[in-house]
Each structure stands twice: as structure tokens, then as C-alpha cells.
Amino acid sequence: MEIIDGATAAFGPYRTSPQPASAVLADIRALGIRVLSDLPAAVLREQIPADIAEAHLSTDAVSPHTGQAMERPGFMAPPRAADTAVAVTMALSILEQPGIHPAGEALRSLLEAVREELTQISATSIDSWGRGISPVLQSVHLAALAPSLRPSEYVRYRIMTETPAGRPGPLGTSSSEPGRSPRCSGRPGRSASHHLKESMRGLWLPFSPPCC
């Protein structure tokens, strides 16, 4: 209700990058769809209070649309309060973490529960999660996939930074605005080179030998 009543949200991973309420609600919906459509019942029972979990897993029809919703969970509005409660509870258990990387760890547990290997999920898989999701959730998704990414992807997506790049362009560049490509500068390649050097600097410094 606080998200709905407010113009922006600045909790958890949104603290350093406040987002419009509509984008945060879109994030909750996107995560809720993953829960309702993919999360195994055994895992759901471990994460959700027993009474809500059992009400959600029950197949008792309470409306003409319940059967259709059960056949395609997550692709239409949940017909029962318990279904919505499960989706929102699981989504907020991720989005209420105190930062992007802690939220990424929580999301990683969800992704591992719905896929046998994280390598089955790509950095761009989130593009199919629905419209309107925020760049913060894109960053959380990248943080979740960190253990399965190649070294080059660590640089491309700035994984070691506080805010991994949610929408990468060419290697070493990024754009935090969904669907927007990096602008070309008057000198092609200069921006990409600059950003790549800055990204690599953060990786190289910890391995530099001490000064003699």
C-alpha cells in the first residue's frame, strides 16, 4: 500500500536509485509471474506460511476463471487472494533486501529453484519478463546470475560495481534506460574505450603488486 500511495519508492535496492511506483509494481508483477508459473510446490511450502501456501496450492474452483488461471499461472490476474499473496510475498522477499547484490542473492535462490542450472538463464532473459520493469530489477537479475557469467561479461555488465549495468550496449558501455541505445559521440569508439578502461581499473587494482 505504501508503494501504491507514493509517487516513488526508495526502499531496499531502490534506495540508491528511487523508482516510480508504477515501475516497482511492474517489478513485483514480473517476479510474481515467475513464482506462480515456475516455482515448485515443495519450495513454495518452504518459503510461504503454511495456510497461505495450502490455499494457493488448492485446486478448489471459486470462480469461472479459476480453472483457466491454473492452466496458465502468471499470465492472467490471480483469481484468489491467496494466489496474489504468494506472488507478492515472494517478490517482496527479494525486493526488500538491503541492496542490489543482496537482492540478487535472494533472486538467485528463486532462479535456482525453477532451473536446474543458472547457465540455462542468460543476462537478457529478463527481457521476456514483461513491460515496464525498472533498471533496478535488471541490475538485481545480473547480480543473481554473477556466478554463471564469463569474465568478459563481468566487465560488460559491471558486475563488481554497486549497480550492475541493466542494459548493456557495446562492450564497456551501458545505458540504464530500458530500450535506449548509447548515443554515438563525435569520435566513434571513444566512449566505449573510456568506460572499458574504467571498468577494468576496478578489476585490476586488487591484483596489482605492492609498490616496492
Side-chain angles (χ1 to χ4, degrees):
M1 293 304 299
E2 291 177 2
I3 297 171
I4 294 172
D5 290 339
T8 60
F11 64 90
Y14 305 103
R15 187 170 290 111
T16 58
S17 180
Q19 297 294 314
S22 59
V24 179
L25 293 174
D27 291 351
I28 294 173
R29 178 181 182 274
L31 292 171
I33 289 175
R34 304 276 72 74
V35 171
L36 295 180
S37 59
D38 297 325
L39 193 65
V43 177
L44 191 147
R45 286 189 173 97
E46 294 175 356
Q47 303 292 329
I48 299 293
D51 56 339
I52 299 177
E54 294 308 321
H56 165 66
L57 295 172
S58 170
T59 57
D60 295 338
V62 296
S63 78
H65 304 291
T66 300
Q68 184 178 357
M70 293 300 183
E71 291 176 4
R72 301 191 67 204
F75 291 90
M76 60 184 298
R80 304 175 302 184
D83 304 329
T84 301
V86 165
V88 173
T89 298
M90 289 293 296
L92 288 180
S93 71
I94 295 169
L95 297 177
E96 287 183 333
Q97 297 296 319
I100 286 177
H101 286 279
E105 292 180 8
L107 177 57
R108 189 181 309 145
S109 298
L110 173 62
L111 296 178
E112 289 174 340
V114 302
R115 294 289 184 272
E116 293 183 1
E117 297 288 343
L118 279 180
T119 52
Q120 297 175 334
I121 306 171
S122 71
T124 57
S125 295
I126 196 171
D127 292 344
S128 64
W129 285 20
R131 297 180 179 178
I133 60 176
S134 75
V136 171
L137 182 57
Q138 296 170 4
S139 294
V140 169
H141 183 254
L142 286 170
L145 297 182
S148 65
L149 297 179
R150 298 186 299 271
S152 61
E153 292 174 314
Y154 262 70
V155 177
R156 181 185 179 111
Y157 297 109
R158 300 185 300 166
I159 297 298
M160 300 304 294
T161 65
E162 183 179 1
T163 307
R167 185 70 63 169
L171 183 62
T173 68
S174 66
S175 172
S176 60
E177 298 182 29
R180 183 176 179 180
S181 301
R183 294 182 179 179
C184 294
S185 63
R187 301 173 67 178
R190 183 176 183 180
S191 177
S193 174
H194 172 75
H195 287 293
L196 179 58
K197 289 179 180 178
E198 290 301 311
S199 298
M200 293 302 293
R201 188 192 307 277
L203 294 178
W204 285 336
L205 287 179
F207 299 101
S208 299
C211 181
C212 298

